[in-house]
Amino acid sequence: MAADATGVVFPGTVGITGPAARRPAARRPAARPLPAAGPWGHVLRRSAHLLPAVAVVALLAVDSAPAGDGSAGSGSVADAASGLLVLYCLVRVLRDRARPLTRTAALVLGLPVLGVTIAAISAHDPAASLPGVARYLQIFVLVPGALLLLLRDRRDFRLVAGSVVVLALVQGTIGVTQYLTGTGASYMGEEIRAVGTFGPTDVMGMATVVAYGLVISIGFALSPGAVGRGRHAARVRRAVALGCAGLLAVPLALSFSRGAWIATAVAVALQLTLSGPRRAVVVTLVAGALGVVLVGGLGIGSQMITERLDSITRVTDAPDQSVTDRYTMWAAATGMWREHPVTGVGLKGFPAHRDSHASLALSAASDTEGAGLGFQRQPLLSPHNMYLLVLSEQGLLGIVALAGSWAALLVRTLRRLPAAHRSRTGADCGLAVTGLLVWQLVDFSYADIGGPSTVLTAVMLGLAARWALGPVERPATSEAGRA
């Protein structure tokens, strides 16, 4: 290129001489970034792959319609979203053409398939057991496996776990409003039982969601303090988590769910023990003071909560009808297992064999009312004990496979926790997973899968699988304080 007398450079020539050769090239003005390129845009782009998982959690806030027979039903929009989540992860795996799971992860998550498949094949009516096969695989295999593949690091874990806490706050707010306005499910002749959007046919739904959120919040609040650049963020996260735990204690109490209370107490006690005595004492004092203010000082459900707590110690001396029904169904489930010890009576077989094994003390249905629904009888189609349900329908083979998978998750979770405490990287995630697993294993002694809230159990197991079976994250030297 060459320049004329005015210094204008013309293309197509070479050999720049004169003033134009020394003149610096004009700088093009920097393009203004689009709004999506800002901090929030970066977060959205980085977390876009988590939208299917967050959608499953968020859709649990949608009102749940009962099944035609008055039971809680099993299909919901959240269940449909979980199917899309699994499909999304399958497409990603096929596109990447990589081995998605380690051998250990495949073994732990694949164990339930063995018992479920054999129980379905050996059932008296294999076709009738197919819905049970789909349900078990959804909750214990497919959705947990999808989340194991989807969550890439601790930030992803915290985002999905945080969405569970937000859902718990939403459901808890609805539940407290139901208690205060007398629009909840019927309890002791009054429509005051907090059930959230799950209705009176799934009284454990809101209690489960709120308990999950409380346990996750306690886990985050008990995490060891970070160092370096992450110190302030970790301090804020712990304070917010502790506040959420205090708020969620109220709707949990107003759910009047004895099983959820017991499971939460055991899970939180273990979390406090694992976090160290000093931090455990601080959190216990704060939570205790908040409980005294809310229940004792403000009188939120204090009398009924006290009576409900007292009834836990009277379950053998003077049990109410719900406890009698539960004991009777437990005995019926045990009788089914004795007749079919290896493979059980088959998936979905408990209702068909219930009456032939239950005593006359069983009422066969429970009364439900309130929260927008009229009076109806809800059939008792399961023993309300996950272990006995699996034992009766899948036999020893099924219970060993399923419980073995849960035990492996818990053992691997506990093994990874000390290293996370020492490095101060992700200990909050480990404490949350430990609490969730223990809560579920204890709660399964009083409840089983069923109802719209069940899909959240699959999300919980997915979080546990990511911590226990996923790759271990090593902190960078320059960012050791970022937890």
Side-chain angles (χ1 to χ4, degrees), residues 419-444:
H421 269 291
R422 288 192 299 269
S423 62
R424 297 190 175 186
T425 54
D428 54 343
C429 303
L431 286 170
V433 166
T434 303
L436 289 172
L437 283 174
V438 171
W439 189 95
Q440 195 62 70
L441 293 178
V442 174
D443 184 71
F444 272 161

Side-chain angles (χ1 to χ4, degrees), residues 334-341 345 353 356-357:
T334 305
M336 297 177 199
W337 166 68
R338 289 173 179 169
E339 292 185 2
H340 305 272
V345 297
H353 294 78
S356 61
H357 292 83

Side-chain angles (χ1 to χ4, degrees), residues 225-323:
V227 296
R229 290 187 299 171
R231 181 184 303 174
H232 177 69
R235 187 181 295 116
V236 172
R237 187 165 59 241
R238 290 198 302 270
V240 172
L242 188 58
C244 291
L247 292 174
L248 292 173
V250 179
L252 180 63
L254 298 180
S255 70
F256 300 109
S257 175
R258 292 170 292 197
W261 291 350
I262 295 172
T264 303
V266 174
V268 172
L270 179 60
Q271 287 177 308
L272 292 172
T273 302
L274 294 174
S275 67
R278 180 179 177 182
R279 195 174 301 276
V281 169
V282 172
V283 174
T284 302
L285 291 176
V286 172
L290 185 61
V292 170
V293 171
L294 292 175
V295 178
L298 301 181
I300 299 180
S302 56
Q303 180 179 357
M304 291 187 174
I305 291 174
T306 301
E307 293 176 357
R308 193 67 165 171
L309 286 171
D310 291 341
S311 69
I312 296 177
T313 62
R314 300 195 306 266
V315 292
T316 56
D317 298 333
D320 54 30
Q321 185 59 48
S322 65
V323 175

Side-chain angles (χ1 to χ4, degrees), residues 197-216:
T197 62
F198 297 101
T201 58
D202 187 13
V203 293
M204 279 293 295
M206 191 214 71
T208 299
V209 173
V210 169
Y212 280 169
L214 191 151
V215 170
I216 291 173

